[in-house]
Amino acid sequence: MNILLIIGNGFDLNLGLPTDYGHFYQYYLAPQVGADARIIGKELAGDLLNGSSNWADLEKQLGQISVKYNKAEAYVDDIDHISDELTRYMRAVDSLDIPHIEDIAQIVYHDLSRFTDYLDNAKRNDMNAFLQQRSDKGEIHLDVITFNYTSVFERIMECWSNLPVHGPIKEYTLCHIHQKLDEHGILLGVNDVNQIANAAFRNNYDVKATIVKPFINKDYESGIDKDCEKAIKQADIIILFGSSMGDTDLYWWNFIGDSMNGHPKRLVYCPYDRNPTAETKKILRINNRLVNFVLSRMSLDTNGYVNVGSKILPLRENRLFDFRTPKDRMKANFAEAMAQLGIVNYKR
């Protein structure tokens, strides 16, 4: 059986890592970084007040800010600057210690092996019936696609190879859909040229090669997009954890929707969320909202909407991957990362 785990920023936040874009903004707008000398820095400064923590919001804003520029060269230069500084910040975060990483690795392994335990009754029954139809031997091939820049999941997989873990996951692969910190530069940007507000820049090759993520993957022929598409197509079960499913990655949400339309595969969706409830009527309403949210991110016709909707299994309240991370760890980690970067005066 092929299981695909797709993780978003909620996974790293769940570990207490300061990886939301509010943290990065505080670094980026520090005087030492010099962002205030750039149009992009001045425009982003006001966004600290809106309280959003989704990377998709930052990426979408990068497309909207393009109207402030008269020359594509200046726009590209500023995008390169923010991308370079994000790489620098994330490298500091990625160097932070993750206490009890071996225990965390065992939790992840257990939850992926027994994720049906966390489903509500009706959805668990649906999944168990689906698994019986598969007539599998119980062995799992696991693919992981991470939208994150950190190497957290590499560390988890390393623990799997070192610890005496016995279970159904026999082999596993990992793909960084937005590239890794130590390779060819991270991908930061929009889903397509229509998300670049300055229409004059939309056909500019340098702009597209800087900020349009699917264009970069395709034109560079990194193979990342093909590997991820293959993993999505061959998956029997897709588990999506901690992702806001933002507009700047619509290509992938549409691709997942298309792969599920006319195919029996199931999608388990678990946002990064902690709103526990035991009331049946509230559970039903929350589950329905989660299903409709996932469907809203996929470009499906009426038949596809109904067909795919019946195969989405919501998982509420972050019951998956509950690491019991202390509440004060993120604040301490942020302070340590900023100290590494030489930033001492910032809004705490």
Side-chain angles (χ1 to χ4, degrees), residues 25 27 32-33 68 77 81 108 112 139 142 146 149 155 157 213 234 243 278 308 311 313 336 340:
Y25 270 11
Y27 162 73
Q32 296 92 326
V33 177
K68 302 290 183 178
D77 185 57
H81 182 261
V108 174
L112 289 172
E139 294 186 357
L142 175 69
T146 176
Y149 302 120
R155 289 190 246 179
M157 286 181 165
K213 292 180 289 187
Q234 70 184 14
S243 172
V308 173
K311 294 180 289 191
L313 293 73
E336 183 177 342
Q340 283 187 38

Side-chain angles (χ1 to χ4, degrees), residues 95-109:
S95 71
L96 296 171
D97 181 50
I98 301 177
H100 312 295
I101 184 69
E102 295 86 359
D103 296 335
I104 288 167
Q106 288 183 319
I107 290 171
V108 174
Y109 192 100

